[in-house]
Amino acid sequence: MPVATKKKHRKKATAETMAASQREISVSEFFAKNRHLLGFDNPRKAMLTTVKEAVDNALDACEEAGILPALKVQLLQVDETRFKITVQDNGPGIVRKQIENIFGKLLYGSKFHRMKMSRGQQGIGISAAGMYGLMTTGKPVKIISKTGRRKPSHEVVLKIDTSKNKAEVVSDTEHPEDDKLFKEGRGTIVAIELEGKYQKGRQSVDEYLEQPAIANPHAEITYITPANETIKFPRAMNELPVEAREIKPHPKGIELGTLIQMLERTEPKSISAFLQDEFSRVGQRKAAELIKLAGKKTSNTLTPRTRISTLDHADAEALYKAIQDTSIMAPPTDCLVPIGSKALLAGLLKEVKAEFFAAATRPPAVYRGNPFQIEVAMAFGGELKTEESARILRFANRVPLLYQQSACSSFKAVVETGWKNYSLQQPKGGLPVGPIVIMIHMASVWVPFTSESKEAIADYDEIRKEMRLALQECGRKLGTYLRRRQRMKKESERRSIFERYIGEISQACNAITGVDPKKLFNALQKQAAKKTAEADQLLDDEGKVVDDGGRLSKDEDVIIVEDLQTDSEADAEDEDLFGGVTLKGRRKKTKSKRTKKKGGK
């Protein structure tokens, strides 16, 4: 007979016992358990994310202080899977009381509420990198800061308490002996030891540092690899980008709940003053228009002098609907600082060995009330590989995006562009194939990233449309250039075939008529060059022939690097073929001619 088993009774929870087990979750605790959301999925990616966040902070600090950035990035291998990452900048330094908040507290920063273009937005990156290092190695973060020549260097060693989202200072000392590390008398050094994996190639630290050098040609970056090799990315421009100006929110970009919260927190007393003080592009006349229309959508009487304290939910909703139904001027765009054609071309020319460079900048546009601007640059030919798909370089506010390429609006815009119209091969639903590098940059006061790790731009229709239009503008220039190049190649082949038999024709005519073979040879040579003159022509950015002495007209959007090589001087074998007639004045000459346009470095 089967033995009867005693049934176990579940212990039932009560409302009181459930309430006793509930507690507040710190933001640090949440991201410590879900660190993949911040880009710390694996050791290799964690190293890249740490370098990226430290470099972004350094560049932002230097630019805000009006200093040309000079950065030093060092990867030191401590153990087989352990690395020490050190990033030094020549920025203004960090005041002592802010060091714990910046490096030891998640979601702390000065850029989240500002409506202006900046690299960092959330105040998570560098503190999350320190938290990852503490979790994987148990080592705290070391920060050395110097804010002036007459002030000593300050060294702070800290770790983050994830249960409280607060920094714990391990040591706090002045280090005058570290002053020699700061040649300009100011700057910051951050050292984080973490578990990582170093690997060259795509999506590596090496590749990442090439891209900020392109998008930030005003920066100088020195990189020391784990193998103790020093790689320098020199400065290509000595001008800082124009400083972005902070703007107020645009009324078209807010939602009803946000509007109600603003009404509850605002200082102005009247509706008219509220609309003019809290929003951009709303003056006294536009505020009166909005209030009049809102009054028609609610039972209460609304005037410009109506006090905000008297408004109820229906009034707020009527005001929101009035905003949506009214035409309001687009927000100002001085909050954006695009890289610009000059800097784009200088950056690409410095890092990519190609023969054709083109850039295009779209006029500012708006999504959800947020102004943004799209820039595209491309490099073609030269030493780029011909049988591979195009390489896409994606940037948002000058920051490279290396992961989740297929989920990014930039990638989708490239795929949607018809590259066959511009003489490139393109498989259905894929990237163009050929020796081409395409760079896409989005500048915005608020970049809609797909996740907290900031790896891809969300696929808004307005954003993808602007990207596609900029790509088409560059593509048209490349297409005309390639079509003209193809015609020039055919003319060159015609001349080659003709020149192959000029010697024999000259000798045959001499035997028949007694004409001087040397004079006949030279005459035929000139005729061949005349009939195939297109093979020797230089082109402008539209693929048109340049007839101003071989120099390209000034233009900020294109650089063409011409590699011209003439025929070699006839050798002994040619002399026998031509019966002793030599090609005087056509010696072997390889001439690398770099034709620059305005904006090229």
Side-chain angles (χ1 to χ4, degrees):
M1 286 182 65
V3 180
T5 58
K6 190 175 180 180
K7 188 175 181 181
K8 294 183 179 180
H9 294 283
R10 285 183 60 183
K11 186 178 180 180
K12 295 182 180 180
T14 64
E16 288 75 18
T17 59
M18 292 172 67
S21 63
Q22 293 171 345
R23 68 181 181 88
E24 182 182 357
I25 301 172
S26 162
V27 64
S28 300
E29 282 184 300
F30 174 80
F31 282 119
K33 281 192 173 183
N34 299 278
R35 61 193 186 195
H36 59 280
L37 297 176
L38 300 178
F40 297 92
D41 305 32
N42 54 67
R44 184 186 180 192
K45 191 175 177 183
M47 280 183 62
L48 173 62
T49 303
T50 301
V51 172
K52 172 180 174 291
E53 296 296 345
V55 168
D56 288 352
N57 286 2
L59 290 172
D60 260 345
C62 290
E63 289 176 12
E64 281 198 42
I67 301 167
L68 282 171
L71 277 56
K72 181 180 179 182
V73 180
Q74 182 177 20
L75 301 186
L76 178 64
Q77 187 162 5
V78 179
D79 203 350
E80 185 178 353
T81 60
R82 187 176 289 190
F83 293 82
K84 183 179 181 180
I85 298 175
T86 306
V87 178
Q88 178 177 355
D89 65 59
N90 63 331
I94 304 172
V95 295
R96 170 63 192 88
K97 63 180 181 180
Q98 285 292 84
I99 290 179
E100 289 105 306
N101 293 327
I102 292 172
F103 295 95
K105 182 181 288 189
L106 269 67
L107 292 179
Y108 181 89
S110 61
K111 303 168 187 173
F112 184 83
H113 298 285
R114 293 191 309 183
M115 293 286 287
K116 64 182 288 189
M117 175 181 160
S118 62
R119 290 178 180 81
Q121 293 177 339
Q122 301 162 341
I124 292 179
I126 194 63
S127 50
M131 182 178 68
Y132 173 82
L134 181 66
M135 291 171 59
T136 56
T137 68
K139 297 283 188 178
V141 182
K142 182 167 79 171
I143 304 102
I144 304 175
S145 177
K146 184 174 174 64
T147 57
R149 290 190 180 277
R150 297 183 180 181
K151 297 181 180 179
S153 301
H154 213 103
E155 181 181 294
V156 178
V157 179
L158 58 82
K159 56 185 179 181
I160 185 170
D161 183 350
T162 55
S163 63
K164 300 177 182 177
N165 189 31
K166 186 179 179 182
E168 288 185 3
V169 177
V170 177
S171 66
D172 178 3
T173 54
E174 288 187 357
H175 274 241
E177 64 272 17
D178 289 340
D179 290 354
K180 60 185 178 182
L181 299 175
F182 303 96
K183 296 179 180 178
E184 298 182 26
R186 62 179 185 276
T188 305
I189 300 175
V190 182
I192 300 175
E193 192 168 324
L194 49 73
E195 190 155 321
K197 181 180 179 182
Y198 175 74
Q199 190 173 338
K200 291 181 176 288
R202 289 292 175 93
Q203 297 180 336
S204 65
V205 174
D206 303 46
E207 183 195 50
Y208 163 75
L209 288 174
E210 290 177 5
Q211 296 192 26
I214 293 174
N216 302 275
H218 60 283
E220 175 187 296
I221 303 175
T222 302
Y223 170 45
I224 302 175
T225 70
N228 205 30
E229 299 174 63
T230 299
I231 302 172
K232 289 193 175 183
F233 302 94
R235 184 177 289 118
M237 298 180 66
N238 291 317
E239 297 177 9
L240 280 167
V242 178
E243 185 180 0
R245 294 184 60 185
E246 186 174 355
I247 64 169
K248 295 177 181 178
H250 193 269
K252 290 287 187 180
I254 63 165
E255 295 170 321
L256 177 58
T258 305
L259 178 62
I260 293 173
Q261 290 179 359
M262 293 176 70
L263 287 167
E264 292 172 348
R265 299 170 184 171
T266 189
E267 293 183 3
K269 305 300 181 184
S270 67
I271 304 180
S272 179
F274 163 74
L275 291 172
Q276 294 178 62
D277 288 359
E278 299 290 347
F279 296 107
S280 64
R281 299 305 196 193
V282 178
Q284 186 175 359
R285 183 179 297 179
K286 182 60 68 174
E289 181 183 345
L290 291 171
I291 295 167
K292 182 178 179 181
L293 183 58
K296 297 178 180 179
K297 299 177 182 291
T298 182
S299 57
N300 297 330
T301 302
L302 298 180
T303 68
R305 294 186 178 183
T306 300
R307 298 183 69 82
I308 291 177
S309 57
T310 63
L311 300 181
D312 57 19
H313 186 279
D315 297 332
E317 191 164 358
L319 183 59
Y320 175 76
K321 290 179 179 178
I323 290 173
Q324 304 307 312
D325 295 342
T326 304
S327 176
I328 302 175
M329 187 185 299
T333 57
D334 52 0
C335 54
L336 305 177
V337 183
I339 299 174
S341 297
K342 179 181 178 181
L344 282 172
L345 294 173
L348 277 178
L349 187 63
K350 178 167 64 85
E351 300 297 332
V352 180
K353 296 181 180 179
E355 68 183 55
F356 177 87
F357 300 84
T361 301
R362 292 287 302 163
V366 178
Y367 76 96
R368 289 182 53 192
N370 297 309
F372 75 98
Q373 196 164 7
I374 299 299
E375 301 176 285
V376 167
M378 61 176 60
F380 179 86
E383 298 182 13
L384 298 175
K385 296 181 180 179
T386 58
E387 301 300 325
E388 296 183 358
S389 297
R391 183 183 176 193
I392 311 299
L393 305 180
R394 300 171 294 129
F395 294 84
N397 288 354
R398 299 175 182 262
V399 177
L401 312 176
L402 295 186
Y403 289 91
Q404 297 184 17
Q405 176 174 274
S406 60
C408 188
S409 182
S410 304
F411 178 84
K412 294 176 181 178
V414 174
V415 170
E416 287 182 3
T417 304
W419 294 98
K420 291 183 179 179
N421 298 331
Y422 313 125
S423 303
L424 292 177
Q425 297 179 356
Q426 183 183 18
K428 187 175 181 180
L431 296 172
V433 177
I436 185 170
V437 173
I438 301 172
M439 173 181 172
I440 303 178
H441 175 237
M442 176 182 179
S444 179
V445 297
W446 185 258
V447 179
F449 292 113
T450 57
S451 66
E452 292 86 348
S453 56
K454 300 181 289 186
E455 295 170 349
I457 300 171
D459 190 25
Y460 282 84
D461 290 340
E462 302 95 323
I463 296 173
R464 192 172 72 253
K465 176 186 175 182
E466 288 296 316
M467 289 178 174
R468 191 171 62 251
L469 290 172
L471 287 165
Q472 290 170 348
E473 188 175 338
C474 275
R476 284 191 291 271
K477 295 177 181 180
L478 176 61
T480 52
Y481 174 81
L482 291 179
R483 284 190 289 271
R484 176 68 72 171
R485 279 292 185 204
Q486 189 63 27
R487 289 196 294 271
M488 291 169 64
K489 182 179 178 182
K490 290 180 180 178
E491 294 292 344
S492 180
E493 289 173 354
R494 285 180 59 201
R495 182 189 298 178
S496 178
I497 294 171
F498 191 62
E499 287 179 339
R500 191 180 305 167
Y501 301 103
I502 289 178
E504 292 186 9
I505 293 172
S506 301
Q507 293 299 316
C509 290
N510 173 258
I512 296 172
T513 64
V515 68
D516 184 355
K518 186 174 180 180
K519 289 183 178 181
L520 181 58
F521 180 88
N522 291 336
L524 291 174
Q525 194 78 40
K526 290 179 181 179
Q527 193 68 13
K530 181 179 178 181
K531 293 295 183 182
T532 59
E534 191 169 1
D536 294 326
Q537 290 168 345
L538 295 178
L539 311 177
D540 65 8
D541 59 305
E542 299 296 339
K544 298 177 182 178
V545 176
V546 177
D547 54 7
D548 58 347
R551 293 172 297 183
L552 291 173
S553 58
K554 294 181 179 180
D555 193 293
E556 292 187 352
D557 292 339
V558 171
I559 295 176
I560 299 175
V561 179
E562 294 285 350
D563 289 321
L564 306 176
Q565 181 170 328
T566 64
D567 295 333
S568 62
E569 186 177 2
D571 53 20
E573 190 174 352
D574 293 332
E575 291 177 3
D576 292 338
L577 177 64
F578 295 155
V581 177
T582 58
L583 299 175
K584 295 292 184 181
R586 289 182 58 81
R587 61 182 179 178
K588 185 173 182 180
K589 180 172 63 172
T590 302
K591 176 174 150 185
S592 178
K593 182 174 182 179
R594 175 162 295 184
T595 309
K596 296 183 184 178
K597 296 194 169 187
K598 187 178 178 183
K601 288 286 177 184

